[in-house]
Amino acid sequence: MKNKKHLVVANWKMNPISPEEAKRIIRTTKKTVKELKRTEAVICPPAIYLNLIKPEKKIYSGVQNVFWLPSGTYTGELSSEMVRQSGATFTIVGHSDRRNLGETDEIVAKKTNAALSAGLQTIICIGEKSRDQSGDYLEFLKIQLTGSLSGVKKGFLSDLIIAYEPLWAISKSSIAGEAMKPRDVEETVCAQAGVAGQAALR
């Protein structure tokens, strides 16, 4: 565990407005990461800024979403192969923003399989909207993760990253005591530890 690396994924969403600001953020990110030990960063900007990122040691580029088919009449979509050819090596799928727009676990699974097949490191986002005292949210997470991994082969597990983003904790301050506590994160991770492997064996 002593040599374990930390991976920081920067999802810019629909920001910033200008290429100049994007370049400034990229420079700052690179400088910061180079000063951190055992830490690497994935920058996921709007796709229009991908060409501004020059991957180097400890710095990778990725996209915020991919489509599940390699080509076709799908206005505004990016295929995993297009992303790979651009030089990016990561993609996010199933982000809560996308799920709120109607993406189902089935759609996320299609995107996951397409991304992995194209050779992309794939970050699957999962998270509950609320945390109940009875622990039902753990079953919700299990169902969400299992559904999002449907069809994924065991050999692809090394290219998968599970990002846990509980919706109720987003944008809340840890100072105010509202954000997720470390023990809660540990509980969730431990509870879901075997789900990905079991799903890929089906």
Side-chain angles (χ1 to χ4, degrees):
M1 294 294 288
K2 185 172 68 173
N3 296 321
K4 184 178 180 180
K5 292 182 180 180
H6 302 285
L7 186 68
V8 178
V9 181
N11 175 14
W12 289 10
K13 303 196 175 185
M14 202 167 66
N15 300 291
I17 297 298
S18 70
E20 291 72 23
E21 181 66 6
K23 291 176 183 177
R24 185 193 68 77
I25 298 173
I26 292 168
R27 288 195 300 270
T28 301
T29 301
K30 288 185 175 183
K31 180 179 178 182
T32 301
V33 172
K34 287 178 180 179
E35 295 173 352
L36 298 174
K37 294 181 180 180
R38 298 191 299 277
T39 301
E40 298 177 337
V42 181
I43 303 174
C44 297
I48 198 169
Y49 297 141
L50 266 180
N51 66 319
L52 301 180
I53 305 171
K54 306 302 179 187
E56 54 190 72
K57 185 177 180 181
K58 300 177 70 176
I59 300 291
Y60 307 93
S61 62
V63 293
Q64 301 170 20
N65 184 44
V66 291
F67 197 59
W68 62 82
L69 293 176
S71 62
T73 54
Y74 304 101
T75 302
E77 299 289 357
L78 294 173
S79 74
S80 296
E81 184 60 27
M82 288 177 179
V83 173
R84 191 184 68 80
Q85 292 287 346
S86 76
T89 52
F90 283 78
T91 183
I92 298 171
V93 295
H95 191 278
S96 59
D97 291 342
R98 303 293 307 181
R99 292 181 187 269
N100 284 338
L101 290 174
E103 281 196 6
T104 62
D105 293 340
E106 181 182 5
I107 291 174
V108 175
K110 289 180 179 180
K111 292 182 175 184
T112 299
N113 279 283
L116 291 170
S117 296
L120 296 177
Q121 297 279 313
T122 305
I123 303 165
I124 298 179
C125 299
I126 63 169
E128 76 277 13
K129 291 183 179 180
S130 61
R131 174 164 285 223
D132 57 275
Q133 294 298 319
S134 61
D136 289 343
Y137 64 90
L138 292 174
E139 183 63 21
F140 171 83
L141 290 173
K142 179 179 179 180
I143 293 171
Q144 189 178 58
L145 182 55
T146 301
S148 299
L149 289 173
S150 179
V152 174
K153 297 179 181 178
K154 185 179 179 181
F156 283 134
L157 290 182
S158 60
D159 292 327
L160 270 176
I161 298 169
I162 308 300
Y164 176 49
E165 49 159 10
L167 276 66
W168 56 268
I170 292 175
S171 300
K172 291 190 175 180
S173 170
S174 59
I175 296 177
E178 295 176 320
M180 198 168 191
K181 295 178 175 59
R183 66 173 180 271
D184 294 329
V185 176
E186 183 179 5
E187 174 194 49
T188 305
V189 171
C190 290
Q192 300 302 316
V195 174
Q198 292 172 4
L201 288 173
R202 293 182 179 181

